Amino acid sequence: MSETTQTDGKSLVKELIDAGIHFGQRASNWNPKMQPYIYGKRNGIHIIDIKETVKGLLLAKKFLTRVVSEGKDVCFVGTKRQAKSVLDEQVPLVGMHRVTERWLGGTLTNFRTIRQRLKRLEELERIAEETNFQGYSKKMESQLRRELRKIFRNLDGIRNMDKLPGALVVIDVRRELTAIREARKLGIPTICLIDTDGDPALADIPIPGNDDSMRSIEIVVRELCKACAEGKQARMTRGDESGDEESTGEEPRRRSRRVQFRADEPASSDAPVAEGSAAPAAES
């Protein structure tokens, strides 16, 4: 490991500690399944093991980079007040998708219907831009504007998601339980920031940490977005290389679709798969 990497790692750990990511919930409000991620207890508050936090975060970054480099996108989910502004600010910068207002049931499992609602959003926006709803009665205009605001508020963050995501990043598993269940049903891997009152079994890659602190959420989301950006860069590079091969008339080598792992790495650490979901998510 280079000195630069070590310095960056120490800087990240210091940032996380300064943000209070190691402060969990009250000991009386804990989930026993979080025991492996808890360092101790102080003044009735559980203290999260920062080593486990960094371990989960680095594993999540590695996985997201690979997922995005393979041409898939990531959907970030965080509807709590502390997460909303962070996701709205950082996720669009890397061209990923987000849900920050309300998770509509069936967003993943009934994806075709969601796409139809997005088409309706585009239709209403076109009417508003071209005619500003002129020619409609006042009652109908009011209804259309209300419908436009509602669909925009709930679905604007995923309007460019034309296929199911390759991974779901979730802030607070207790609050976003519906989203996690849909992802697991479809075999979509989940990466979750989990406090001491959450269930780590719901996440394929758990990142134990304070999910109530805006600063903690900001650092975790920032690092995961960096991983997405790196994956996009690798995707573009791969595309350029494919273009070069085609221009020279050489047929590119076909790569096996089977997931491959290095002999010195366990399969579970590189490509998490939700329990009970043997089939991969179908793209719509």
Side-chain angles (χ1 to χ4, degrees):
M1 183 181 294
S2 66
E3 293 184 6
T4 303
T5 304
Q6 289 181 337
T7 302
D8 291 343
K10 291 179 180 178
S11 176
L12 176 60
V13 171
K14 185 178 186 304
E15 263 194 295
L16 291 170
I17 293 176
D18 291 343
I21 201 169
H22 56 296
F23 292 120
Q25 299 287 333
R26 290 187 175 277
S28 58
N29 193 32
W30 77 312
N31 187 322
K33 292 182 181 180
M34 287 295 291
Q35 178 65 52
Y37 307 106
I38 295 177
Y39 178 79
K41 185 167 57 176
R42 184 180 303 165
N43 298 327
I45 301 293
H46 271 135
I47 304 300
I48 298 170
D49 189 344
I50 193 69
K51 290 181 180 179
E52 293 295 331
T53 303
V54 174
K55 178 182 175 182
L57 183 55
L58 294 179
L59 182 59
K61 290 180 64 176
K62 180 180 179 182
F63 178 68
L64 286 184
T65 299
R66 198 193 70 176
V67 166
V68 176
S69 70
E70 292 174 349
K72 301 174 185 176
D73 287 340
V74 178
C75 183
F76 290 73
V77 184
T79 59
K80 65 196 305 181
R81 178 181 55 81
Q82 298 93 321
K84 181 181 181 304
S85 60
V86 174
L87 296 185
D88 284 339
E89 178 183 347
Q90 298 198 28
V91 176
L93 298 178
V94 292
M96 293 297 135
H97 317 295
R98 70 196 188 283
V99 175
T100 58
E101 285 293 337
R102 174 171 168 251
W103 181 270
L104 300 180
T107 297
L108 297 178
T109 54
N110 198 12
F111 190 61
R112 292 181 184 273
T113 301
I114 296 299
R115 291 302 309 170
Q116 291 175 0
R117 296 304 294 162
L118 286 167
K119 288 181 181 179
R120 176 60 173 168
L121 172 61
E122 293 173 358
E123 179 185 352
L124 291 173
E125 287 180 333
R126 185 173 61 253
I127 295 173
E129 182 180 353
E130 293 177 354
T131 67
N132 197 27
F133 298 105
Q134 297 299 318
Y136 293 92
S137 65
K138 290 197 173 185
K139 180 179 180 181
M140 179 58 69
E141 179 183 350
S142 176
Q143 289 177 350
L144 292 176
R145 289 187 184 279
R146 191 182 310 117
E147 182 183 4
L148 173 59
R149 287 194 299 269
K150 183 178 180 180
I151 301 176
F152 182 86
R153 182 175 64 248
N154 291 328
L155 299 179
D156 180 58
I158 59 172
R159 70 185 326 174
N160 296 320
M161 192 170 75
D162 54 3
K163 61 182 178 180
L164 290 174
L168 207 68
V169 175
V170 176
I171 308 298
D172 193 341
V173 294
R174 297 184 66 189
R175 188 180 181 94
E176 315 300 346
L177 191 57
T178 303
I180 293 173
R181 284 174 174 168
E182 288 190 27
R184 291 172 69 81
K185 184 176 182 180
L186 295 173
I188 298 174
T190 54
I191 297 169
C192 307
L193 178 61
I194 306 179
D195 214 326
T196 54
D197 59 347
D199 184 357
L202 294 173
D204 292 299
I205 300 181
I207 303 176
N210 186 343
D211 61 12
D212 292 320
S213 165
M214 183 180 293
R215 180 59 182 151
S216 297
I217 297 172
E218 182 181 358
I219 295 173
V220 171
V221 171
R222 182 197 70 196
E223 292 299 313
L224 297 182
C225 283
K226 282 183 181 178
C228 292
E230 291 174 5
K232 269 201 161 185
Q233 184 63 39
R235 183 196 303 181
M236 293 172 61
T237 303
R238 183 177 300 174
D240 291 341
E241 291 175 351
S242 299
D244 291 341
E245 289 173 348
E246 290 177 1
S247 64
T248 56
E250 297 179 4
E251 185 178 354
R253 282 195 313 176
R254 294 184 178 274
R255 300 185 63 182
S256 172
R257 295 186 180 215
R258 184 174 300 171
V259 178
Q260 298 179 355
F261 303 99
R262 288 172 50 187
D264 58 342
E265 288 183 1
S268 59
S269 68
D270 203 17
V273 178
E275 295 177 4
S277 55
E283 289 187 358
S284 181

